[in-house]
Amino acid sequence: MQCNIPKSKILKTALTLFSSKGYSETKMSEVARKAGISVGALYLRFSSKQALCLELIKDQTKDFCKLTETLPDKDPLTALRKYVHLNLDHAFKKRQLLSMFIREHKLPFIQPLRTNFFKNQHRLIEDILIRGSKSGVFRHMNTNYTASMIFASIRGTILLKLIFGVGDTKTLGNSLCKFIINGIRKDAL
């Protein structure tokens, strides 16, 4: 049996349902019905609701990871600014995914993906900081702790915007960049 419905449509349908109803409350039969396929065809594509959710997360985060992977090769100030803005832009474009993550933060099968994503992002920030320190752009610092604080600041800014609707993305990004860079730039002392 061939399923002619694009995978992207199934993933979009699942994202809409998972973010509005929650993972636990969404049934595979509902995803199939809203996507316009039979339940059997859905199970031929995805062996379980968990497999569908994991594929959805991978699909929604792959473009962000691709955009950020070469940042450590750029000028450290440019790389850090671009990283902050990419995070904010991506978070607001992928609002439904964030909504699902917030709502379903205790799902154990998501934890390894989340942990891996956060470790990779932390390492990327730390690489930018190390390069900046070595080149004399950033002052000497504990890059591990500083990367954690930068990551937390970005996540906090995203939540501030999502929950309280504070500011526009560009202004928030510029303010956050200024705050971070003034704290670590060697000539800002």
Side-chain angles (χ1 to χ4, degrees):
M1 177 178 190
Q2 184 71 16
C3 177
N4 294 328
I5 302 295
K7 180 178 164 183
S8 60
K9 182 176 181 184
I10 298 168
L11 293 175
K12 185 176 181 181
T13 302
L15 177 60
T16 300
L17 291 169
F18 290 160
S19 66
S20 64
K21 294 180 69 173
Y23 173 84
S24 302
E25 297 301 315
T26 301
K27 307 288 181 238
M28 287 290 273
S29 59
E30 190 175 14
V31 174
R33 183 173 41 78
K34 297 241 182 203
I37 60 174
S38 69
V39 175
L42 180 60
Y43 276 107
L44 285 174
R45 286 268 182 96
F46 303 97
S47 61
S48 65
K49 185 167 64 166
Q50 180 176 323
L52 173 60
C53 187
L54 289 171
E55 182 63 30
L56 170 66
I57 293 167
K58 289 175 187 173
D59 179 72
Q60 290 283 303
T61 56
K62 71 181 174 201
D63 54 337
F64 176 76
C65 293
K66 193 88 167 146
L67 288 169
T68 60
E69 68 188 11
T70 61
L71 285 177
D73 299 336
K74 299 184 182 317
D75 162 69
L77 281 172
T78 302
L80 195 53
R81 282 187 186 106
K82 187 151 181 77
Y83 182 78
V84 169
H85 284 284
L86 282 171
N87 263 275
L88 297 178
D89 291 343
H90 190 76
F92 301 124
K93 284 179 188 166
K94 304 292 184 173
R95 188 180 303 251
Q96 284 183 302
L97 181 67
L98 281 178
S99 174
M100 185 186 85
F101 271 140
I102 291 167
R103 173 177 248 176
E104 303 293 350
H105 68 279
K106 291 186 179 182
L107 289 176
F109 67 88
I110 290 177
Q111 196 57 42
L113 271 181
R114 185 185 315 227
T115 300
N116 188 47
F117 177 80
F118 290 150
K119 280 182 183 177
N120 287 338
Q121 294 307 300
H122 184 277
R123 185 177 23 227
L124 191 142
I125 297 168
E126 192 168 13
D127 288 348
I128 293 169
L129 295 174
I130 290 168
R131 187 177 171 117
S133 292
K134 285 182 179 177
S135 68
V137 174
F138 300 151
R139 61 182 144 139
H140 179 72
M141 69 186 91
N142 181 319
T143 56
N144 182 43
Y145 289 136
T146 305
S148 295
M149 294 306 298
I150 290 171
F151 191 77
S153 297
I154 293 169
R155 292 295 172 240
T157 302
I158 291 167
L159 288 175
L160 183 70
K161 173 69 174 161
L162 287 176
I163 295 170
F164 300 109
V166 174
D168 66 273
T169 307
K170 186 173 182 171
T171 303
L172 283 171
N174 289 338
S175 296
L176 184 57
C177 285
K178 187 176 181 180
F179 175 74
I180 292 168
I181 290 169
N182 283 341
I184 62 174
R185 215 161 94 188
K186 194 171 194 174
D187 61 5
L189 289 175

